[in-house]
Coordinates of all heavy atoms in Angstrom, one line a residue:
V16 N -3.8 13.5 3.0 CA -3.1 12.2 2.9 C -4.1 11.1 2.6 O -5.1 11.0 3.2 CB -2.3 11.8 4.2 CG1 -1.7 10.4 4.1 CG2 -1.3 12.9 4.6
N20 N -8.0 3.3 1.5 CA -9.2 3.8 0.9 C -9.8 5.0 1.6 O -10.9 5.3 1.6 CB -10.3 2.7 0.8 CG -9.9 1.7 -0.2 OD1 -9.3 1.9 -1.2 ND2 -10.3 0.4 0.1
T40 N -17.1 29.8 6.8 CA -17.5 28.4 6.6 C -17.7 28.0 5.2 O -17.3 26.9 4.7 CB -18.7 28.1 7.5 OG1 -18.5 28.5 8.9 CG2 -19.1 26.6 7.4
R53 N -9.3 16.5 -5.6 CA -7.9 16.2 -5.9 C -7.5 14.8 -5.3 O -6.6 14.2 -5.9 CB -7.0 17.3 -5.3 CG -7.1 18.6 -6.0 CD -6.2 19.6 -5.5 NE -4.8 19.2 -5.7 CZ -3.8 19.8 -5.1 NH1 -4.0 20.8 -4.2 NH2 -2.6 19.4 -5.3
K58 N -17.7 15.0 -1.2 CA -18.4 15.1 0.1 C -19.5 14.0 0.4 O -19.9 13.8 1.5 CB -19.0 16.5 0.3 CG -20.1 16.8 -0.7 CD -20.6 18.3 -0.5 CE -21.6 18.6 -1.5 NZ -22.0 20.0 -1.4
S63 N -16.2 11.5 8.7 CA -16.1 12.2 10.0 C -15.7 13.7 9.7 O -15.0 14.0 8.7 CB -15.0 11.6 10.8 OG -14.7 12.2 12.0
W67 N -14.0 23.4 14.7 CA -13.6 24.3 15.8 C -14.2 25.7 15.4 O -14.0 26.2 14.3 CB -12.1 24.4 15.9 CG -11.5 23.1 16.3 CD1 -11.2 22.6 17.6 CD2 -10.9 22.1 15.4 NE1 -10.6 21.4 17.5 CE2 -10.4 21.1 16.2 CE3 -10.9 22.0 14.0 CZ2 -9.8 20.0 15.6 CZ3 -10.3 20.9 13.5 CH2 -9.7 19.9 14.3
A72 N -21.7 31.5 20.1 CA -22.8 32.4 19.8 C -23.0 32.5 18.3 O -24.1 32.8 17.9 CB -22.5 33.8 20.4
E73 N -22.0 32.1 17.5 CA -22.1 32.1 16.1 C -22.3 30.7 15.5 O -22.2 30.5 14.3 CB -20.9 32.7 15.5 CG -20.7 34.2 15.9 CD -19.5 34.8 15.3 OE1 -18.4 34.6 15.9 OE2 -19.6 35.4 14.2
E76 N -24.7 30.2 12.6 CA -24.3 30.7 11.3 C -23.4 29.6 10.6 O -23.5 29.4 9.4 CB -23.4 32.0 11.4 CG -24.3 33.2 11.9 CD -23.4 34.4 12.1 OE1 -22.6 34.7 11.2 OE2 -23.5 35.0 13.1
D82 N -25.3 22.9 6.8 CA -26.5 22.2 6.4 C -26.8 22.4 4.9 O -27.3 21.5 4.3 CB -27.7 22.7 7.3 CG -27.6 22.3 8.7 OD1 -26.8 21.5 9.1 OD2 -28.3 22.9 9.5
P91 N -21.7 13.0 7.9 CA -20.7 12.3 8.6 C -20.9 12.4 10.1 O -21.7 13.2 10.5 CB -19.4 13.1 8.2 CG -19.9 14.5 8.0 CD -21.3 14.3 7.4
V92 N -20.2 11.6 10.8 CA -20.2 11.8 12.3 C -19.5 13.1 12.4 O -18.7 13.5 11.6 CB -19.5 10.7 13.0 CG1 -20.2 9.4 12.9 CG2 -18.0 10.5 12.6
V96 N -16.5 22.0 18.6 CA -16.1 22.6 19.9 C -15.7 24.0 19.7 O -15.3 24.5 18.7 CB -14.9 21.8 20.5 CG1 -15.3 20.4 20.8 CG2 -13.7 21.8 19.6
P103 N -6.2 35.1 15.2 CA -7.4 35.6 15.8 C -8.5 36.0 14.8 O -9.7 36.0 15.2 CB -6.9 36.9 16.6 CG -5.5 37.1 16.1 CD -5.0 35.9 15.5
V107 N -13.5 29.8 12.2 CA -13.8 28.4 12.1 C -12.7 27.7 11.4 O -12.0 28.2 10.5 CB -15.2 28.3 11.4 CG1 -15.2 28.8 10.0 CG2 -15.7 26.8 11.4
M110 N -11.9 20.0 9.8 CA -11.1 18.9 9.3 C -12.0 17.7 9.1 O -12.9 17.4 9.9 CB -10.1 18.5 10.4 CG -9.1 17.4 10.0 SD -7.8 17.2 11.2 CE -8.6 16.5 12.6
A113 N -12.6 11.2 4.7 CA -13.6 10.7 3.7 C -13.1 9.3 3.2 O -11.9 9.1 3.2 CB -13.8 11.7 2.6

Side-chain angles (χ1 to χ4, degrees):
V16 174
N20 292 324
T40 303
R53 289 182 62 196
K58 66 185 177 183
S63 175
W67 296 269
E73 298 179 277
E76 293 178 49
D82 292 345
V92 297
V96 297
V107 59
M110 184 171 70

